[in-house]
Amino acid sequence: MSSVLWALWYILPAYVANASPVLVGGGEPMDGGRNWRDGRRLLGDGKTWRGFFGGIALGTLTGAVQYVITPDYYGTLKVALLLAFLLSLGALVGDLIGSFIKRRVNLPRGAPALGLDQLGFVISAMVFAYPVKTLPSGGILFLLVVTPFVHWGANYLAYRMGWKSVPW
Ligand code: CTP
Ligand code: MG
């Protein structure tokens, strides 16, 4: 398989973790409705506990399926699961950092933030996963270029499916 496909295979749990809250999220917001000292919401209603833990669970599960398909790429199931967990956790923590920044610059929940929305989660995922397994630098560069397009495509699809109210 080409290195470009391996890069997408590597990052897949982060993509799943980032996308699944749209379907499994909702309920109690993680900031409990509280404000930061600037009087604006800490994170906003778009970041919920169900989305956070649901995304980590589905992203980690993705790693188990990936291990069954390409065991040699991971070596052991433990590595595959730990990698998928760290990629998922990193993706969702990166997403929270993004929302925190958006609220600080007074962008309301759901407002687009070019760059932050499309790349924050994937950079954070790669940083979290780095101690367990990393990609050659060409693969990292490739992901930084294609992830915004994957993100836009997935969000447009979710919008057309009626899962979210804005296409970004
Ligand atoms: N979501 C969630 N919990 C999370 C992340 C996302 O429930 N931890 C759900 C919310 O319903 C959210 C949707 O997934 O509206 C889309 O996620 P995202 O685009 O990241 O959130 P936004 O609503 O755009 O909020 P923000 O402006 O804070 O990014
Ligand atoms: Mg958004």
Side-chain angles (χ1 to χ4, degrees), residues 134-159:
T134 186
L135 281 174
S137 51
I140 295 173
L141 216 68
F142 170 75
L143 289 180
L144 294 179
V145 172
V146 296
T147 300
F149 298 99
V150 175
H151 193 267
W152 284 317
N155 279 278
Y156 182 70
L157 180 78
Y159 168 72

Side-chain angles (χ1 to χ4, degrees), residues 22 41-48 95-96 98-114 116-118 151-152 155 159 163-168:
V22 174
R41 284 288 292 277
L42 201 56
L43 300 170
D45 286 330
K47 302 296 120 133
T48 68
D95 184 53
L96 294 183
S99 291
F100 179 79
I101 294 170
K102 284 166 77 172
R103 299 301 89 83
R104 302 291 69 75
V105 299
N106 209 10
L107 285 172
R109 176 237 177 129
L114 192 67
L116 200 57
D117 284 343
Q118 295 81 18
H151 193 267
W152 284 317
N155 279 278
Y159 168 72
W163 296 335
K164 55 186 305 206
S165 54
V166 287
W168 51 78

Side-chain angles (χ1 to χ4, degrees), residues 3-45:
S3 56
V4 150
L5 288 180
W6 280 121
L8 290 171
W9 190 240
Y10 172 91
I11 206 68
L12 187 63
Y15 284 177
V16 170
N18 188 251
S20 41
V22 174
L23 292 174
V24 302
E28 179 73 7
M30 296 175 81
D31 65 9
R34 283 187 292 270
N35 290 341
W36 182 246
R37 30 172 186 252
D38 54 14
R40 294 190 279 272
R41 284 288 292 277
L42 201 56
L43 300 170
D45 286 330

